Amino acid sequence: MEKNLKNILVVSFGFLLLFTAYGGLQSLQSSLHSQQGLGVASLSVVYGALILSSMFLPPILIKKFGCKWTIVGSMCCYITFSLGNFYASWYTLIPTSLILGLGGAPLWSAKCTYLTIAGNAYAQKAGKIGKDVINQYFGIFFLIFQSSGVWGNLISSLVFDQSPSREISEADLACCGAYDCMKNPDENYSGGSNGTNDTVVYTLLGIYTGSGVLAVFLVAVLLDQITANKEESKEEKTPSFWSTFLATFRHLKDVRQCLLIPLTMYSGFEQGFLAGDYTKSYVTCALGIKFVGYVMICFSATNSLCSVLFGKISQFTGRKALFVLAAMIHLACIITLLLWKPRKEYLAVFFIIPALWGVSDAVWQTQTNALYGVLFEKHKEAAFANYRLWESLGFVIAFGCSTFLQVYIKLYIVLAVLVVAVVLYGIVEYLESKTSNTTNNEPTKFPKDLQATNM
C-alpha cells in the first residue's frame, strides 16, 4: 500500500503543479485575450486538437512508452502553451494550443489507466473490491488535483492586484449577465485592453512556466513505471496503427458507452461555461479581471474537498445518489444565472455560485472517471480515450459558441444537455444492474460470451 500510495501522490502532485499553470491561464483566456475572441479561440483549438488526439494517440503511446513516460511527454506539451502566452497572437497561441491539445488525451488516458491498474492490483493483494479502491484513488487524485485551481487562481489574483483598477459604469453593468451585449467588457477602458501591463503579465507567465517544468521533473524522477497483469501482457500483441486508430470508435459498439456520451459531453459544457462565460460576462464585466482568480478559488476549493468526500461516501451512498445531487445543484445554479443581474452590491453571489458549481463538478469528475474504470475494465485505454474525446467536444462547443451566442442561450443549451445526460445515465445504471445479475450466475464465461456478441 505504501508504494502504491507514493505513486498516486506523485501523479497527483505532478498534475497539481502542471494545472496550477494551465488552470489559471484557462480561467483568464476569455478576459486576458478578449480581442477578436483570441482567448476562447485558443481554448477551442486546445479541445479540438484533444478530440483528434483522443482518436488514436493514447493507446499507441501508452503501449509504446508506458503510462509514466506518456505522462512526462504530454506534460511538456502543456508547458508550450504557457510559453505561447508570453507574446499572445494568432501566430503563437494557436500553434501552442494545438500542441497542448495533442498532448492532452495521452496525458489523461495514461493517468486514468495508471490509477485503474494500481487500484486493481492493490485490491487483489488486499482482498478488497476493485471498484472501491479505484474510487478511493480517484478521490485522492482529485482532492490534490482540483486544489490546483486554488493555487493557480490565487497566484493570478495576487499578481493582478499590482495592476490599476478600472472604473465600471452603469452602462457597462447593463451589458453583464445572461443577457450580455456581446462585447468585450473592457473595451472602453483607457488603460489597455484589460487594465494590465506587460510586466505584470510576464511575471504571472514566468511563475506558471516554472510550475510546469517542476511537474515534469517530479514525475520523471519519482514515479514508478506500472504495467498490467503479466500474463495478460504476454498474450497482448502490439496493435497496428490502423487498428489502434479505430480502437476508440470500436468501443462505441458498447451501448453503455454510447449512452454515456451526453454525460461525458456535459462535463465539458459545464466547465467550459464557467471558465469562458461566467468569468467574462459576470465576474470581469461587473467586478474586473482581478476578481476572476478569487472567484474561481471558491470553485476549486469546494471541488477539491468534495472530490475526496464523494470518493469516500460513494461506497455507502452509491453513484446514483451523487449524480442526482449534482444534477439538482447545477439546475439551481443555471436558473439563478438566468434570473440574476450581476451587481457589485451582491458580491457574495459571485462566490457562492462557483462554490456550488464546484460541488457538482466534483461528482462529474470523480464518479464519471470511476464509472468508466469499472464498466470498461477490459478496454481501459479505449474507454478513457472516449471519455476525453466526448468531454473535449463539449469544451469545443462551449468555447466555440462563446463569441457569437448570448449567455442566456448557452445556459439553455447547458440545461438541455444536463437533462438528457441524467436520463441516459439512468438507463446505463439499469442495464448494468441486469448485467450484474447475469454475471453473478456465470462469472467466468460471461465476459467471453459478451465479447462474442459485441464483435
Short mmCIF file of all heavy atoms in Angstrom, two decimals, residues 50-82:
data_model
loop_
_atom_site.label_atom_id
_atom_site.label_comp_id
_atom_site.label_asym_id
_atom_site.label_seq_id
_atom_site.Cartn_x
_atom_site.Cartn_y
_atom_site.Cartn_z
N LEU A 50 -7.54 18.07 -28.91
CA LEU A 50 -7.72 16.98 -27.95
C LEU A 50 -8.65 15.90 -28.51
O LEU A 50 -8.45 14.71 -28.25
CB LEU A 50 -8.27 17.54 -26.64
CG LEU A 50 -8.23 16.65 -25.40
CD1 LEU A 50 -6.81 16.18 -25.13
CD2 LEU A 50 -8.76 17.41 -24.20
N ILE A 51 -9.64 16.32 -29.29
CA ILE A 51 -10.53 15.35 -29.94
C ILE A 51 -9.74 14.48 -30.91
O ILE A 51 -9.85 13.25 -30.90
CB ILE A 51 -11.67 16.07 -30.67
CG1 ILE A 51 -12.63 16.73 -29.67
CG2 ILE A 51 -12.43 15.10 -31.56
CD1 ILE A 51 -13.73 17.53 -30.32
N LEU A 52 -8.94 15.12 -31.77
CA LEU A 52 -8.13 14.37 -32.73
C LEU A 52 -7.15 13.44 -32.01
O LEU A 52 -6.96 12.29 -32.39
CB LEU A 52 -7.37 15.34 -33.63
CG LEU A 52 -8.22 16.24 -34.52
CD1 LEU A 52 -7.33 17.21 -35.30
CD2 LEU A 52 -9.06 15.42 -35.48
N SER A 53 -6.56 13.96 -30.95
CA SER A 53 -5.61 13.17 -30.17
C SER A 53 -6.28 11.96 -29.55
O SER A 53 -5.71 10.86 -29.50
CB SER A 53 -4.98 14.05 -29.09
OG SER A 53 -4.15 13.31 -28.24
N SER A 54 -7.50 12.14 -29.08
CA SER A 54 -8.23 11.05 -28.42
C SER A 54 -8.51 9.89 -29.35
O SER A 54 -8.69 8.76 -28.91
CB SER A 54 -9.55 11.57 -27.84
OG SER A 54 -9.34 12.58 -26.89
N MET A 55 -8.55 10.16 -30.64
CA MET A 55 -8.92 9.13 -31.60
C MET A 55 -7.86 8.05 -31.76
O MET A 55 -8.18 6.90 -32.05
CB MET A 55 -9.21 9.77 -32.97
CG MET A 55 -10.44 10.64 -32.99
SD MET A 55 -10.69 11.39 -34.63
CE MET A 55 -12.14 12.38 -34.33
N PHE A 56 -6.59 8.42 -31.60
CA PHE A 56 -5.56 7.41 -31.88
C PHE A 56 -4.32 7.47 -31.01
O PHE A 56 -3.64 6.46 -30.83
CB PHE A 56 -5.13 7.50 -33.35
CG PHE A 56 -4.49 8.80 -33.73
CD1 PHE A 56 -3.12 8.93 -33.71
CD2 PHE A 56 -5.26 9.87 -34.13
CE1 PHE A 56 -2.52 10.14 -34.07
CE2 PHE A 56 -4.67 11.07 -34.49
CZ PHE A 56 -3.30 11.20 -34.46
N LEU A 57 -3.97 8.63 -30.44
CA LEU A 57 -2.69 8.74 -29.73
C LEU A 57 -2.60 7.98 -28.41
O LEU A 57 -1.57 7.34 -28.15
CB LEU A 57 -2.35 10.22 -29.50
CG LEU A 57 -1.75 10.98 -30.68
CD1 LEU A 57 -1.41 12.40 -30.27
CD2 LEU A 57 -0.52 10.27 -31.21
N PRO A 58 -3.62 8.02 -27.53
CA PRO A 58 -3.46 7.38 -26.21
C PRO A 58 -3.07 5.91 -26.26
O PRO A 58 -2.07 5.52 -25.62
CB PRO A 58 -4.82 7.60 -25.54
CG PRO A 58 -5.35 8.83 -26.17
CD PRO A 58 -4.90 8.75 -27.61
N PRO A 59 -3.80 5.04 -26.98
CA PRO A 59 -3.40 3.62 -26.98
C PRO A 59 -2.00 3.40 -27.54
O PRO A 59 -1.24 2.58 -27.03
CB PRO A 59 -4.47 2.95 -27.86
CG PRO A 59 -5.63 3.88 -27.85
CD PRO A 59 -5.04 5.24 -27.78
N ILE A 60 -1.65 4.15 -28.59
CA ILE A 60 -0.33 3.98 -29.21
C ILE A 60 0.77 4.35 -28.23
O ILE A 60 1.73 3.59 -28.03
CB ILE A 60 -0.22 4.84 -30.49
CG1 ILE A 60 -1.17 4.33 -31.57
CG2 ILE A 60 1.21 4.86 -31.01
CD1 ILE A 60 -1.21 5.20 -32.80
N LEU A 61 0.67 5.52 -27.62
CA LEU A 61 1.73 6.00 -26.73
C LEU A 61 1.82 5.19 -25.45
O LEU A 61 2.92 4.91 -24.95
CB LEU A 61 1.51 7.48 -26.41
CG LEU A 61 1.62 8.44 -27.59
CD1 LEU A 61 1.40 9.88 -27.15
CD2 LEU A 61 2.97 8.31 -28.28
N ILE A 62 0.67 4.79 -24.90
CA ILE A 62 0.68 4.00 -23.67
C ILE A 62 1.30 2.63 -23.92
O ILE A 62 2.09 2.13 -23.11
CB ILE A 62 -0.74 3.88 -23.09
CG1 ILE A 62 -1.23 5.24 -22.60
CG2 ILE A 62 -0.77 2.87 -21.94
CD1 ILE A 62 -2.69 5.26 -22.18
N LYS A 63 0.97 2.01 -25.06
CA LYS A 63 1.57 0.71 -25.40
C LYS A 63 3.07 0.83 -25.67
O LYS A 63 3.86 -0.03 -25.31
CB LYS A 63 0.88 0.12 -26.64
CG LYS A 63 -0.59 -0.18 -26.47
CD LYS A 63 -0.82 -1.41 -25.63
CE LYS A 63 -2.31 -1.76 -25.60
NZ LYS A 63 -2.59 -2.90 -24.71
N LYS A 64 3.45 1.94 -26.31
CA LYS A 64 4.84 2.12 -26.73
C LYS A 64 5.74 2.54 -25.58
O LYS A 64 6.84 2.00 -25.39
CB LYS A 64 4.89 3.17 -27.84
CG LYS A 64 6.27 3.44 -28.40
CD LYS A 64 6.67 2.40 -29.42
CE LYS A 64 7.98 2.77 -30.10
NZ LYS A 64 8.42 1.71 -31.03
N PHE A 65 5.31 3.51 -24.78
CA PHE A 65 6.17 4.11 -23.76
C PHE A 65 5.74 3.81 -22.33
O PHE A 65 6.48 4.09 -21.40
CB PHE A 65 6.22 5.63 -23.95
CG PHE A 65 6.73 6.06 -25.30
CD1 PHE A 65 5.86 6.58 -26.24
CD2 PHE A 65 8.06 5.93 -25.63
CE1 PHE A 65 6.31 6.98 -27.49
CE2 PHE A 65 8.53 6.32 -26.88
CZ PHE A 65 7.65 6.85 -27.81
N GLY A 66 4.56 3.25 -22.15
CA GLY A 66 4.06 3.02 -20.81
C GLY A 66 3.41 4.27 -20.25
O GLY A 66 3.54 5.37 -20.80
N CYS A 67 2.70 4.10 -19.16
CA CYS A 67 1.95 5.22 -18.57
C CYS A 67 2.86 6.35 -18.11
O CYS A 67 2.58 7.53 -18.33
CB CYS A 67 1.09 4.73 -17.40
SG CYS A 67 -0.28 3.66 -17.87
N LYS A 68 3.97 6.01 -17.45
CA LYS A 68 4.84 7.03 -16.87
C LYS A 68 5.38 7.99 -17.92
O LYS A 68 5.22 9.22 -17.81
CB LYS A 68 6.01 6.38 -16.13
CG LYS A 68 7.05 7.39 -15.65
CD LYS A 68 8.22 6.73 -14.96
CE LYS A 68 9.29 7.76 -14.59
NZ LYS A 68 10.43 7.15 -13.84
N TRP A 69 6.02 7.45 -18.96
CA TRP A 69 6.67 8.33 -19.93
C TRP A 69 5.68 9.00 -20.87
O TRP A 69 5.98 10.05 -21.45
CB TRP A 69 7.74 7.56 -20.70
CG TRP A 69 8.85 7.12 -19.79
CD1 TRP A 69 9.16 5.86 -19.40
CD2 TRP A 69 9.76 7.99 -19.10
NE1 TRP A 69 10.22 5.86 -18.52
CE2 TRP A 69 10.61 7.16 -18.31
CE3 TRP A 69 9.95 9.37 -19.06
CZ2 TRP A 69 11.62 7.67 -17.51
CZ3 TRP A 69 10.97 9.88 -18.26
CH2 TRP A 69 11.78 9.05 -17.50
N THR A 70 4.50 8.42 -21.00
CA THR A 70 3.43 9.12 -21.72
C THR A 70 3.01 10.36 -20.96
O THR A 70 2.80 11.43 -21.55
CB THR A 70 2.22 8.19 -21.92
OG1 THR A 70 2.62 7.05 -22.69
CG2 THR A 70 1.10 8.91 -22.65
N ILE A 71 2.91 10.23 -19.64
CA ILE A 71 2.57 11.38 -18.80
C ILE A 71 3.65 12.46 -18.90
O ILE A 71 3.35 13.65 -19.07
CB ILE A 71 2.38 10.94 -17.33
CG1 ILE A 71 1.11 10.08 -17.19
CG2 ILE A 71 2.29 12.15 -16.41
CD1 ILE A 71 0.93 9.46 -15.81
N VAL A 72 4.92 12.07 -18.82
CA VAL A 72 6.02 13.03 -18.86
C VAL A 72 6.03 13.79 -20.19
O VAL A 72 6.12 15.03 -20.22
CB VAL A 72 7.37 12.31 -18.65
CG1 VAL A 72 8.54 13.26 -18.92
CG2 VAL A 72 7.47 11.77 -17.22
N GLY A 73 5.96 13.06 -21.31
CA GLY A 73 5.97 13.70 -22.61
C GLY A 73 4.79 14.63 -22.83
O GLY A 73 4.93 15.73 -23.38
N SER A 74 3.62 14.20 -22.36
CA SER A 74 2.42 15.02 -22.54
C SER A 74 2.48 16.29 -21.70
O SER A 74 1.98 17.34 -22.12
CB SER A 74 1.18 14.21 -22.17
OG SER A 74 1.06 13.06 -23.00
N MET A 75 3.09 16.21 -20.53
CA MET A 75 3.23 17.40 -19.70
C MET A 75 4.06 18.48 -20.39
O MET A 75 3.80 19.68 -20.23
CB MET A 75 3.87 17.03 -18.36
CG MET A 75 2.93 16.37 -17.37
SD MET A 75 3.74 16.01 -15.79
CE MET A 75 2.32 15.68 -14.75
N CYS A 76 5.06 18.06 -21.15
CA CYS A 76 5.89 19.02 -21.87
C CYS A 76 5.06 19.82 -22.88
O CYS A 76 5.35 20.99 -23.14
CB CYS A 76 7.03 18.30 -22.59
SG CYS A 76 8.25 17.56 -21.47
N CYS A 77 4.02 19.18 -23.43
CA CYS A 77 3.15 19.89 -24.37
C CYS A 77 2.42 21.04 -23.69
O CYS A 77 2.16 22.09 -24.32
CB CYS A 77 2.14 18.92 -24.98
SG CYS A 77 2.88 17.60 -25.98
N TYR A 78 2.07 20.85 -22.43
CA TYR A 78 1.36 21.90 -21.69
C TYR A 78 2.25 23.11 -21.45
O TYR A 78 1.78 24.26 -21.41
CB TYR A 78 0.84 21.35 -20.36
CG TYR A 78 -0.47 20.61 -20.47
CD1 TYR A 78 -0.54 19.37 -21.09
CD2 TYR A 78 -1.65 21.15 -19.96
CE1 TYR A 78 -1.73 18.68 -21.20
CE2 TYR A 78 -2.85 20.48 -20.06
CZ TYR A 78 -2.89 19.23 -20.68
OH TYR A 78 -4.08 18.57 -20.80
N ILE A 79 3.54 22.88 -21.27
CA ILE A 79 4.47 23.98 -21.00
C ILE A 79 4.54 24.92 -22.20
O ILE A 79 4.69 26.14 -22.04
CB ILE A 79 5.86 23.43 -20.64
CG1 ILE A 79 5.78 22.60 -19.36
CG2 ILE A 79 6.87 24.56 -20.47
CD1 ILE A 79 7.08 21.92 -18.98
N THR A 80 4.42 24.37 -23.42
CA THR A 80 4.49 25.23 -24.61
C THR A 80 3.37 26.26 -24.63
O THR A 80 3.55 27.37 -25.15
CB THR A 80 4.42 24.39 -25.90
OG1 THR A 80 3.15 23.73 -25.99
CG2 THR A 80 5.54 23.35 -25.93
N PHE A 81 2.20 25.91 -24.06
CA PHE A 81 1.08 26.85 -24.03
C PHE A 81 1.41 28.06 -23.16
O PHE A 81 1.08 29.20 -23.51
CB PHE A 81 -0.17 26.14 -23.52
CG PHE A 81 -1.41 27.00 -23.53
CD1 PHE A 81 -2.01 27.36 -24.73
CD2 PHE A 81 -1.99 27.42 -22.35
CE1 PHE A 81 -3.15 28.14 -24.75
CE2 PHE A 81 -3.14 28.20 -22.35
CZ PHE A 81 -3.72 28.56 -23.56
N SER A 82 2.05 27.82 -22.02
CA SER A 82 2.48 28.93 -21.16
C SER A 82 3.45 29.82 -21.90
O SER A 82 3.38 31.05 -21.81
CB SER A 82 3.12 28.39 -19.87
OG SER A 82 2.20 27.65 -19.11
#
